[in-house]
Every structure is written in C-alpha cells, then in structure tokens.
Amino acid sequence: MEILEKLFGSSTRVKVMKFFLFNPEELLEKKEIMKKTKSSSSALQKELKDLCDIGLLKKRIFIKSSQTKSGRTKKQKVQGFVLNPNFKYLNNLKTLIINNEPFNHGEIIKKLNK
C-alpha cells in the first residue's frame, strides 16, 4: 500500500477510498468511518472534505436509531457519507485500488476461519 499512500498523499485517504470502494452501498457517519478505517478524527475530517470536494463521496442526511440507557429508542438526524456511483473516474479508481491489493492466501484463510 505504500505506493498508493505516496500517490494519493496520505494513508488515511487510501483507507477511506478503499473502504468505500469495497462497500459502495454503505452510508456511514464520520464516527463509524473513523472506527472502520482506524483513522484519527482530524485526518479523517480533512480527507472526507477533500473526497467530497472532488465528487468521490457524497454527504447525506439520514435517520439513526439508538438505544438510550432507559431502553427507549432515540432517533436523530445525522450527516453521513456514501460513495458517489456517478463519479467520473470510479471504474478506473476501483481497478487501480483492487489490482494493487496483494493477496496473501494465508491471511485470507485466517480471516475466513474467524
């Protein structure tokens, strides 16, 4: 992944792009993206803004349900991000990122066994 980090400028940007390219239907808020990509809040904020500015990601408002301590369901509007399926270079970017992933058969077997 070192080549992609140098090409795209940061490891956080590569992690976010990979996450959304491999999960194109996911609509997640910043906090969830931060957990899934293991990124810091400040770095993630910058990369999300940049990726939205170029059109790779779109901001969406959605309703999130959560449980309160008393057991009630609380609904709130939150801002999330989703892959833009109409991004001009989406197929090229998928090809670049997916073809750059080295496959280690031992790691694949370990992950599948979990």
Side-chain angles (χ1 to χ4, degrees):
M1 187 159 53
E2 187 176 313
I3 293 171
L4 289 179
E5 290 172 9
K6 288 182 181 178
L7 181 64
F8 291 112
S10 82
S11 62
T12 302
R13 182 173 296 175
V14 174
K15 288 177 190 178
V16 172
M17 287 190 311
K18 281 176 59 175
F19 174 77
F20 280 104
L21 289 171
F22 284 104
N23 303 285
E25 302 294 316
E26 289 275 350
L27 173 60
L28 297 174
E29 65 179 314
K30 182 183 162 194
K31 187 173 19 176
E32 293 169 317
I33 299 167
M34 194 168 60
K35 282 183 193 176
K36 291 186 184 272
T37 61
K38 299 176 184 164
S39 303
S40 71
S41 179
S42 60
L44 182 62
Q45 182 67 37
K46 178 191 177 310
E47 298 307 337
L48 289 173
K49 180 190 178 313
D50 289 347
L51 293 172
C52 285
D53 287 348
I54 65 168
L56 179 64
L57 299 180
K58 287 184 175 182
K59 291 180 185 179
R60 291 279 185 257
I61 301 294
F62 67 101
I63 305 296
K64 181 180 178 184
S65 298
S66 59
Q67 290 278 336
T68 63
K69 289 182 181 180
S70 63
R72 293 184 178 178
T73 302
K74 180 175 107 175
K75 293 183 179 182
Q76 62 185 31
K77 288 183 181 180
V78 293
Q79 182 179 32
F81 298 87
V82 67
L83 184 68
N84 178 4
N86 300 319
F87 182 63
K88 184 177 181 178
Y89 303 107
L90 185 60
N91 289 330
N92 297 336
L93 194 56
K94 279 183 181 179
T95 302
L96 177 66
I97 300 255
I98 291 169
N99 288 341
N100 191 44
E101 278 297 302
F103 288 104
N104 182 331
H105 295 289
E107 286 182 32
I108 292 172
I109 291 171
K110 283 181 189 177
K111 288 183 180 184
L112 290 175
N113 284 334
K114 288 181 183 178

